Amino acid sequence: SCMLLNYALILAGGSGTRMNQATPKQYLPLEGVPIVVHSLRAFQACDDVDAICLACAPAYLSLVQGYIREYGLSKVKYFASAGADRRLTSQNALLAVSSDCKPEDILLIHDAVRPFVTQRIIEENIQAARQYGAVYTAFPTQDTIVQSPDGRCLSGIPPRETLFLGQTPQSFRFSVIDHAHKAYEAAQDPPPVTDDCTLVLRLGQPVHLVLGSKSNIKITTPEDWEIAQLLAKKFSFAK
């Protein structure tokens, strides 16, 4: 059929070095349920998401397959291995679904450690990626951001209204993100990139913004973990 599909690529490749925990943070429980499961559930619950690919370290594959059975995450149909960095993990997830993807299908790439992504954010990512080809979930910064190249002296204070906090999902037409990865691979000595939208910007392709949320936090440090536990209670995550 010529129906266009939407794939969620959930990146759970992190090693959790900043959490001071033996277990990577995406497998720690929030209200009794692993963080990665909360993230997967958000996409499972969205009617417009057709299939999910989970990228994780091979050592955790049997653990997550157990979660998928236990929590009835029936849309998780693909698995990919985590790469040496985020770009490679993202590329591995893209490759895992690529043989089934049509050029116009949408890929939503999301950090497993952002369990508070909302249905609105997911829906708007799908709609905007269909329309524009590449979208970045971002939230206006409420703090003043200051610049300091050396970490010691202030060099500038950019106007706050031009600054946003980058979140995920970052979503793309398959043809756009596939081309962006291939162009990066072919480049001579390209600079390291930490997110998928940067790959697309390198090609001169515009990236549209979708409004994220203050709650769509990335759980990286023990402080984030404490905030997440408060948010989880508010979001009634135990369901």
Side-chain angles (χ1 to χ4, degrees):
S1 82
C2 62
M3 257 189 60
L4 297 177
L5 299 181
N6 305 311
Y7 295 82
L9 312 183
I10 310 298
L11 308 188
S15 57
T17 46
R18 285 171 288 190
M19 269 306 271
N20 314 324
Q21 292 259 2
T23 308
K25 54 202 173 280
Q26 56 272 31
Y27 306 117
L28 296 174
L30 258 188
E31 296 286 282
V33 176
I35 289 171
V36 64
V37 172
H38 290 300
S39 297
L40 290 167
R41 272 179 167 176
F43 291 88
Q44 175 79 27
C46 179
D47 289 341
D48 289 327
V49 171
D50 297 290
I52 300 170
C53 174
L54 181 64
C56 65
Y60 290 94
L61 183 59
S62 62
L63 178 72
V64 296
Q65 287 176 327
Y67 293 158
I68 285 158
R69 286 190 297 274
E70 181 181 349
Y71 294 100
L73 298 164
S74 58
K75 289 183 185 176
V76 184
K77 299 184 171 114
Y78 303 87
F79 294 93
S81 291
D85 61 28
R86 190 186 187 286
R87 188 194 73 82
L88 291 166
T89 299
S90 167
Q91 188 175 43
N92 287 350
L94 180 131
L95 290 169
V97 300
S98 61
S99 59
D100 293 335
C101 280
K102 296 176 288 299
E104 299 294 310
D105 285 344
I106 300 301
L107 303 187
L108 300 103
I109 304 173
H110 186 67
D111 299 326
V113 289
R114 290 185 188 272
F116 301 105
V117 63
T118 63
Q119 295 298 303
R120 175 195 65 78
I121 291 172
I122 295 170
E123 292 286 356
E124 287 185 16
N125 265 264
I126 291 170
Q127 290 155 10
R130 283 235 174 283
Q131 189 174 350
Y132 300 104
V135 297
Y136 199 132
T137 304
F139 193 71
T141 176
Q142 294 163 340
D143 298 311
T144 297
I145 306 288
V146 302
Q147 285 174 314
S148 170
D150 62 3
R152 291 194 303 277
C153 290
L154 177 72
S155 68
I157 305 175
R160 192 169 61 190
E161 53 277 11
T162 68
L163 299 174
F164 292 75
L165 303 172
Q167 301 183 346
T168 64
Q170 295 181 28
S171 305
F172 310 91
R173 271 187 226 123
F174 173 76
S175 55
V176 170
I177 190 64
D178 185 49
H179 176 217
H181 273 285
K182 285 173 177 157
Y184 183 87
E185 297 260 282
Q188 292 296 318
D189 201 31
V193 297
T194 54
D195 69 53
D196 297 280
C197 283
T198 307
L199 295 174
V200 173
L201 280 179
R202 281 172 53 84
L203 300 177
Q205 164 126 4
V207 175
H208 197 77
L209 293 185
V210 163
L211 180 67
S213 83
K214 178 108 176 180
S215 306
N216 187 23
I217 64 167
K218 186 175 186 186
I219 303 171
T220 304
T221 65
E223 291 79 15
D224 300 331
W225 173 238
E226 288 175 25
I227 293 165
Q229 287 173 307
L230 294 172
L231 283 172
K233 286 188 172 52
K234 185 186 133 206
F235 274 67
S236 67
F237 251 30
K239 57 185 178 290

